[in-house]
Amino acid sequence: MLWLGLASKNNIFSSLIQFHSLMDESYEEVEEAVSPPGQYFNSSVICSYVFGFLEIAIPIDDSKTIPLIKDVFLPINPRFSSIMIRDENGKRRWKRVEVKPEEHVKIPKFPKSESYDHYFDDYVTSILTERTPQNKPLWEIHIIKYPTSNAAGTIIFKLHHALGDGYSLMGALLSCLQRIDDPSLPLTFPSRTSSSSQGSKKNMIQKLPSFISSFFSSMSDFGSSLVKTRMVVDDKTPIRSGYEGTESMPFALSSISLSLDHVKAIKTKLGVTINDVITGIIFYGIRLYMQEIDYMARKAKSTAVVMLNTRNVKGYQSVKEMQNSKVKGLWGNKISFLQITIPKLSQSENCNPLEFVWNARKLIKKKRRSFSVYLIGLLLDLEMKLKGPEAVAKIIYKTLGNCSVVISNIFGPMEQMALANHPISGLYFTMTGGPENIDITIMSYVKVLRITLRTLKGFIDEQKFKLCIEKAFDVIFKAAMEISRTPNK
């Protein structure tokens, strides 16, 4: 997961030929230990999946599906050909098995209709909560050959979170794709200007005040995270029901497409980052929705859990590099989280929506300097050693349940892609498995920023929530464009 600008410089994927050689095609017994996060995400408490959606611009020809799975998808990582077992000591390990691709490919049949949007939505709702069998590798590919209002067809990759985090799984997915303009060229990704180059020129004396400030800020963040996880619970509001077992209830999926150029225009006008803009829009939209449903909810205490990629990398690495144990960006689950208070709407009728962006900037700037995410990771590792994976899974579950919304962000490629000569018109993702009532995921692709909303059916009014996020963007864009000069915030 990439958030708060932790990883976003230009990088590339190696060609398929490079990583095809990573695996021995024979199915010898190779039992790799399951990482602690892999055990958390596949426990009796949490069963989490990452879903990647590819919107296809032309009707789908599925005749090459099985060969592509065998020749391209399975060689990416041995875990795609493994199941999770317990050894004689009761420890979980990955065991290689023979894969029958046809058992993992699902092609639904819908009744004949003038519009298939409703059937598509219902089908997605059903697969969001279904668990994949544990006696087979933990992934599925769903091929929707019916047109919707967004695409001529849709391919859905359902990948268990135990296989890897968003960074790993998106890297695997993108490795199956090629640039349309020139397949021989690598994909490139958005960049951001880092201030670390200036900071690196300072000597230790000059860095000392910043280090001291960061230390105390990190301790404060770490302490507040512990309190929030163990004791403090968000108020029950229009975005947090407080119901138990919501992870197994039906969820709706909707998405919003924003112009990346417009987001960049706001960024330039306000002198902030793209992450600041996105966070401000989401927080403002959430508060608008809460106010529309219940006016008094504007005063409620609500928190967002922001998922973080903890790798010390500047962008995506090739699958070959992720497999190399000597590099920084290892394959797997290298994630942590932060809890960020969602700012409240001002009581004033003249509430300035840009304050949400500026407040987001202050929060993000503070969090970016903090190393509390690593302390949280160390604490979870300690809990794992002392109490085992089920106990840690309960802590993560409680953390998500005590908060109101989970947010994750991944940077996508800047060039349009194709899968087996099928142009991809849209790309987005979501995740499941936690007790939260709302998941918000953000992904860029070419010049579009896609915000995906996974909302609890029967509790969240998904259409109204979507409209409130869109309204937040429109209001913030208009207010930013009316500024004659860049404010000093």
Side-chain angles (χ1 to χ4, degrees):
M1 316 289 179
L2 309 180
W3 190 262
L4 305 186
L6 289 185
S8 58
K9 278 193 175 178
N10 286 348
N11 213 315
I12 65 174
F13 286 93
S14 295
S15 65
L16 295 179
I17 296 176
Q18 287 179 299
F19 66 79
H20 281 175
S21 62
L22 290 174
M23 286 175 47
D24 183 347
E25 294 298 330
S26 63
Y27 286 92
E28 59 181 327
E29 293 292 322
V30 178
E31 295 189 7
E32 173 196 1
V34 178
S35 67
Q39 297 182 61
Y40 312 154
F41 292 129
N42 192 24
S43 64
S44 63
V45 182
I46 299 174
C47 184
S48 181
Y49 293 87
V50 176
F51 290 76
F53 293 77
L54 303 180
E55 293 178 336
I56 310 301
I58 62 175
I60 297 175
D61 174 11
D62 63 343
S63 61
K64 297 181 180 179
T65 300
I66 302 303
L68 281 170
I69 290 175
K70 290 180 177 179
D71 299 334
V72 177
F73 180 73
L74 292 181
I76 291 174
N77 192 282
R79 294 184 191 178
F80 294 149
S81 302
S82 303
I83 61 173
M84 198 178 290
I85 64 166
R86 291 188 183 276
D87 61 19
E88 60 276 8
N89 298 317
K91 296 183 178 180
R92 287 191 166 190
R93 308 188 74 84
W94 292 106
K95 179 181 180 180
R96 290 286 297 279
V97 297
E98 184 176 358
V99 181
K100 298 179 180 179
E102 60 276 7
E103 295 182 351
H104 295 260
V105 177
K106 313 294 181 181
I107 305 178
K109 299 291 184 182
F110 296 163
K112 190 173 182 179
S113 176
E114 293 183 0
S115 173
Y116 292 98
D117 283 22
H118 175 68
Y119 294 109
F120 176 82
D121 292 342
D122 287 347
Y123 184 78
V124 170
T125 292
S126 69
I127 66 173
L128 287 178
T129 52
E130 290 178 350
R131 292 195 174 199
T132 53
Q134 292 287 315
N135 61 347
K136 300 175 185 177
L138 302 173
W139 58 269
E140 291 178 347
I141 298 176
H142 299 257
I143 301 176
I144 316 298
K145 301 177 71 173
Y146 300 92
T148 64
S149 55
N150 292 324
T154 308
I155 299 176
I156 306 171
F157 285 76
K158 181 177 182 178
L159 308 171
H160 202 291
H161 219 318
L163 298 169
D165 57 19
Y167 178 91
S168 299
L169 298 179
M170 191 52 60
L173 178 57
L174 294 179
S175 293
C176 299
L177 310 176
Q178 293 178 313
R179 285 175 60 156
I180 286 182
D181 58 348
D182 188 343
S184 67
L185 294 177
L187 295 168
T188 60
F189 300 86
S191 62
R192 62 181 289 270
T193 302
S194 174
S195 59
S196 60
S197 58
Q198 293 180 350
S200 62
K201 297 178 182 178
K202 295 180 180 180
N203 58 40
M204 289 301 297
I205 300 298
Q206 292 173 316
K207 290 181 179 180
L208 186 59
S210 177
F211 174 80
I212 294 174
S213 173
S214 177
F215 174 80
F216 284 106
S217 175
S218 298
M219 291 299 102
S220 175
D221 286 342
F222 181 59
S224 63
S225 293
L226 290 181
V227 172
K228 181 68 180 175
T229 300
R230 312 286 176 166
M231 295 180 287
V232 181
V233 180
D234 275 3
D235 296 331
K236 292 184 179 181
T237 66
I239 64 169
R240 183 178 179 274
S241 64
Y243 302 156
E244 294 184 2
T246 54
E247 66 276 6
S248 60
M249 296 180 182
F251 278 76
L253 203 66
S254 57
S255 65
I256 302 165
S257 295
L258 304 179
S259 166
L260 193 55
D261 287 339
H262 286 177
V263 173
K264 289 179 179 178
I266 299 173
K267 162 187 171 292
T268 301
K269 275 284 189 176
L270 303 186
V272 296
T273 69
I274 289 179
N275 275 335
D276 299 336
V277 175
I278 298 170
T279 309
I281 290 169
I282 290 173
F283 284 175
Y284 185 43
I286 287 174
R287 285 298 182 181
L288 289 177
Y289 173 79
M290 293 172 68
Q291 180 177 262
E292 283 205 21
I293 301 298
D294 179 4
Y295 183 81
M296 295 307 295
R298 63 190 295 135
K299 301 178 181 179
K301 175 182 61 184
S302 299
T303 309
V305 170
V306 178
M307 307 304 295
L308 301 171
N309 171 24
T310 60
R311 294 171 178 83
N312 185 23
V313 294
K314 299 299 184 181
Y316 286 111
Q317 293 175 301
S318 69
V319 173
K320 182 178 180 181
E321 289 172 319
M322 281 192 276
Q323 295 279 45
N324 186 348
S325 61
K326 295 181 180 180
V327 299
K328 298 176 181 178
L330 298 178
W331 180 284
N333 282 287
K334 305 293 179 180
I335 58 175
S336 189
F337 58 86
L338 286 177
Q339 294 134 315
I340 299 179
T341 301
I342 300 175
K344 299 177 182 178
L345 278 173
S346 170
Q347 299 294 327
S348 169
E349 293 297 327
N350 298 319
C351 172
N352 183 359
L354 299 182
E355 289 292 338
F356 276 82
V357 179
W358 289 321
N359 284 336
R361 177 174 176 77
K362 293 175 184 177
L363 289 169
I364 290 174
K365 197 172 182 180
K366 176 185 176 184
K367 301 297 182 183
R368 188 182 290 139
R369 293 173 177 171
S370 172
F371 50 83
S372 63
V373 290
Y374 303 102
L375 295 177
I376 292 172
L378 291 173
L379 179 63
L380 293 179
D381 287 344
L382 180 60
E383 293 269 7
M384 170 73 176
K385 293 176 181 177
L386 295 177
K387 300 180 181 179
E390 291 289 327
V392 178
K394 289 179 182 178
I395 293 173
I396 296 173
Y397 183 90
K398 187 174 181 181
T399 299
L400 299 177
N402 287 353
C403 295
S404 299
V405 59
V406 174
I407 303 175
S408 183
N409 179 35
I410 293 179
F411 287 96
M414 299 172 66
E415 299 83 17
Q416 190 174 9
M417 304 177 296
L419 175 62
N421 297 319
H422 288 65
I424 296 170
S425 57
L427 178 64
Y428 60 101
F429 80 104
T430 192
M431 51 193 180
T432 64
E436 67 277 3
N437 298 165
I438 298 175
D439 279 294
I440 300 178
T441 53
I442 307 100
M443 185 169 191
S444 62
Y445 177 50
V446 192
K447 292 188 176 182
V448 175
L449 194 72
R450 195 76 167 261
I451 300 177
T452 304
L453 312 171
R454 187 181 75 99
T455 52
L456 181 62
K457 273 195 166 187
F459 178 71
I460 303 291
D461 185 332
E462 62 264 26
Q463 288 304 315
K464 183 170 289 187
F465 188 67
K466 178 179 175 180
L467 289 173
C468 286
I469 299 292
E470 292 175 333
K471 180 181 178 181
F473 172 73
D474 291 338
V475 170
I476 287 176
F477 178 76
K478 182 180 179 181
M481 294 306 102
E482 291 175 351
I483 293 179
S484 57
R485 61 185 179 85
T486 301
N488 184 19
K489 286 284 179 177

